[in-house]
Amino acid sequence: LELERRAVLRHGLAFQAHVQREPVATLLDADAPPAPVMALVIEAANLGYWDWDVRNDHIVMNARAAEMAGYTLDEVEPSLRFWAEHVHPEDWPEVQQVMEDHLSGRTPSYQTEHRIRTKSGDWKWVLQAGRVTEHSPDGSSLRATGIQLDIDAAKRAGEQLRRLNEDLEDRLRQRTMELAELEALYHTLAESAPQIIWAADTAGRMTYLNQAW
């Protein structure tokens, strides 16, 4: 039993590591592992899971999906409307467009990275991915299924690295300007000096000679 748990955990960690690179369609196709195995993988990978009844706007999710926003399952309203209100206003237009594109059949799957408002009022980055898994006879979307992954730490680390790079570039530009100003000042002083001022490279070739010569 312990070996089985370890195998599931390894499978789950591998699943979590590549989920950002692989469309969720590859996780929900006909060749996917049986539901009990997938449930173990989802739990081991610490993923949120959701199953949306599109027509009735009713969402079934696991506890982890609610926990990412700081809620228990009993505290959340099982509807898209509830979760849409928790998406960051700056992110919602893109999330809505990606969702509409998939529900209308223009894309094979749905995947976004966006911020959600937690129960405490903070913003957290998540990755949501899924696809329509059931259609009506006329082709309308009836059911969509997918996962949710907490990517907040990775996003914040990336943002911190970006800011550090920008700060380094700003300092480098400032230092370059300072050196250019010093060089201009040196040139002005050298040209106005009554003494002969010259410079040479390591090979002995003269590289500068002021006007006093």
Side-chain angles (χ1 to χ4, degrees), residues 15-89:
F15 179 91
Q16 184 180 32
H18 84 266
V19 70
Q20 290 181 307
R21 300 191 300 271
E22 293 294 332
V24 75
T26 62
L27 309 175
L28 301 174
D29 59 24
D31 296 325
V37 176
M38 284 302 298
L40 288 173
V41 169
I42 288 171
E43 181 179 358
N46 205 26
L47 293 171
Y49 169 85
W50 50 266
D51 191 347
W52 179 33
D53 179 343
V54 179
R55 179 171 295 177
N56 298 309
D57 189 20
H58 184 269
I59 298 177
V60 175
M61 63 179 62
N62 65 353
R64 179 56 184 149
E67 288 170 1
M68 288 184 195
Y71 293 101
T72 65
L73 284 176
D74 294 334
E75 294 176 312
V76 301
E77 178 185 320
S79 69
L80 177 64
R81 183 187 63 80
F82 175 85
W83 288 108
E85 292 174 351
H86 283 68
V87 176
H88 196 289

Side-chain angles (χ1 to χ4, degrees), residues 102-123:
H102 179 53
L103 292 177
S104 63
R106 291 191 292 269
T107 57
S109 61
Y110 158 86
Q111 184 163 313
T112 64
E113 294 181 4
H114 59 268
R115 290 160 289 182
I116 58 172
R117 187 179 68 251
T118 65
K119 182 180 179 180
S120 63
D122 297 325
W123 293 103

Side-chain angles (χ1 to χ4, degrees), residues 131-190:
R131 77 172 189 181
V132 173
T133 52
E134 185 178 344
H135 295 86
S136 66
D138 65 3
S140 301
S141 299
L142 295 179
R143 179 186 178 192
T145 306
I147 56 93
Q148 179 169 291
L149 175 65
D150 183 346
I151 59 171
D152 194 63
K155 276 286 189 179
R156 293 186 184 280
E159 178 63 18
Q160 184 178 17
L161 180 60
R162 183 187 66 81
R163 290 178 179 176
L164 288 173
N165 286 336
E166 288 181 351
D167 182 59
L168 180 59
E169 290 174 357
D170 288 342
R171 292 186 181 186
L172 182 59
R173 282 193 295 268
Q174 182 63 30
R175 184 57 177 164
T176 301
M177 292 173 59
E178 291 173 354
L179 290 174
E181 291 173 357
L182 287 174
E183 184 177 358
L185 177 60
Y186 170 79
H187 186 270
T188 299
L189 292 175

